[in-house]
Amino acid sequence: MYTDSVLLESRSARSGVAHRVEVLDKVKALAFSTGSAQATTRDVANYFEVPLKTVEKVAERHREELANNGMTLLRGSDLHKYQTDTMSVSSEPESGYPQRRSGLTVFSRRAVLCVAMLLRDSVVAQQVRNYLLDVEESARAHPGVEAVRQSTEELRRTVSTLAVGYGSLDRRVGNLESAGAELGAVLQELGPVIGRLSARVERMDDRVAESARRTARTEQLVSAMSQRLADMGEEMRAMRGELRGVVRAVGAEPTVPPPGAES
């Protein structure tokens, strides 16, 4: 049977009851900085009503145990996403401008419960441990009730997870709707410009088509003239051949007119 001192001293004992995160809400509402199920170090300190440094020391001394139960150091894209969610959910930021940071420690509900089993001088943590011990004793005395309670708790966690996912999806849909509205306004402004450009392009197409037709007709005329000139050349060669035949037949030589004579 667990006792308060056992929970404070035994890591294996804490591990055996770390899943009973529902006791946190039974003692006091755990407020998160965002709609996600992650509490900052300040959130945890506010819940247990202790200085921020106290939680930081506990996190440093028991880092491995808390990390195994859901304490995470956010960096890079994960940190950016968390800060974006914080600014989108919180209506009263702590300062006028978001502060740049290289990392941020956040706690799952399971990690917060582990902190409750490690804090000695917090009244709220003591209440959590007392409630936790009562739940464990009741579970041993009434196993059927415990099975129902576990099923109910699993359902509650599922609903909570779905609610968080819906909140994120709702924000994304809202962002898409806003972007769609802005795009619609831009397209509406560009509509007349696009219409004028389209009309100019159509006129240019008509001119190009007319130029193509004129070029085709010109090519046809040039081709006909070339053919006519070729035919005239053949006719002239035939006439020269006939003239030479006549000259030979009469025995006459072609007379070359003197220079300056009229033709």
Side-chain angles (χ1 to χ4, degrees):
M1 181 176 179
Y2 296 136
T3 63
D4 186 73
S5 59
V6 170
L7 293 180
L8 288 168
E9 301 297 336
S10 173
R11 178 172 175 175
S12 61
R14 292 192 293 270
S15 178
V17 296
H19 63 284
R20 298 190 179 277
V21 294
E22 73 277 4
V23 299
L24 294 171
D25 294 325
K26 298 295 184 181
V27 176
K28 181 182 177 183
L30 176 58
F32 297 101
S33 296
T34 70
S36 63
Q38 291 178 313
T40 64
T41 306
R42 186 175 299 280
D43 293 334
V44 178
N46 291 339
Y47 177 82
F48 291 112
E49 300 176 4
V50 295
L52 182 64
K53 290 292 184 182
T54 301
V55 178
E56 291 176 345
K57 290 179 180 178
V58 170
E60 183 62 31
R61 291 173 183 170
H62 303 275
R63 180 171 298 278
E64 181 183 355
E65 179 181 356
L66 291 173
N68 290 337
N69 285 283
M71 186 182 75
T72 306
L73 179 62
L74 300 179
R75 295 183 183 276
S77 59
D78 292 333
L79 176 59
H80 177 72
K81 181 178 183 301
Y82 183 91
Q83 291 174 326
T84 301
D85 290 343
T86 300
M87 287 186 287
S88 65
V89 173
S90 175
S91 59
E92 296 181 358
E94 295 181 0
S95 62
Y97 299 93
Q99 300 297 316
R100 292 184 178 272
R101 59 180 77 186
S102 60
L104 177 67
T105 300
V106 293
F107 298 75
S108 66
R109 297 179 69 86
R110 188 181 176 104
V112 175
L113 181 57
C114 286
V115 173
M117 292 184 281
L118 293 168
L119 282 174
R120 294 178 179 273
D121 300 326
S122 167
V123 175
V124 176
Q126 178 67 60
Q127 293 174 349
V128 171
R129 293 195 297 273
N130 291 341
Y131 200 97
L132 185 58
L133 294 172
D134 290 342
V135 170
E136 278 295 301
E137 183 178 356
S138 175
R140 290 187 175 88
H142 307 284
V145 174
E146 173 62 12
V148 174
R149 188 205 63 78
Q150 288 182 354
S151 298
T152 303
E153 177 59 22
E154 290 177 1
L155 179 60
R156 187 195 68 79
R157 287 197 297 267
T158 300
V159 172
S160 178
T161 302
L162 290 174
V164 172
Y166 174 80
S168 176
L169 179 61
D170 183 61
R171 287 194 297 274
R172 293 181 182 180
V173 171
N175 292 338
L176 287 175
E177 290 176 345
S178 299
E182 293 177 1
L183 179 60
V186 171
L187 291 177
Q188 186 175 6
E189 293 177 358
L190 290 176
V193 177
I194 294 175
R196 290 194 296 270
L197 289 174
S198 177
R200 291 180 62 183
V201 170
E202 289 180 358
R203 289 196 296 270
M204 290 177 65
D205 288 341
D206 293 341
R207 291 175 183 175
V208 170
E210 180 62 24
S211 297
R213 288 192 293 270
R214 291 179 180 178
T215 300
R217 289 196 296 268
T218 301
E219 290 176 350
Q220 292 174 355
L221 292 174
V222 171
S223 177
M225 291 176 65
S226 298
Q227 185 61 43
R228 179 57 181 162
L229 290 173
D231 294 342
M232 290 177 64
E234 291 294 331
E235 292 176 356
M236 291 180 68
R237 281 193 291 273
M239 291 175 64
R240 289 194 189 97
E242 293 176 355
L243 182 59
R244 291 192 189 97
V246 171
V247 170
R248 284 195 297 270
V250 298
E253 293 294 333
T255 300
V256 179
E262 294 182 359
S263 58

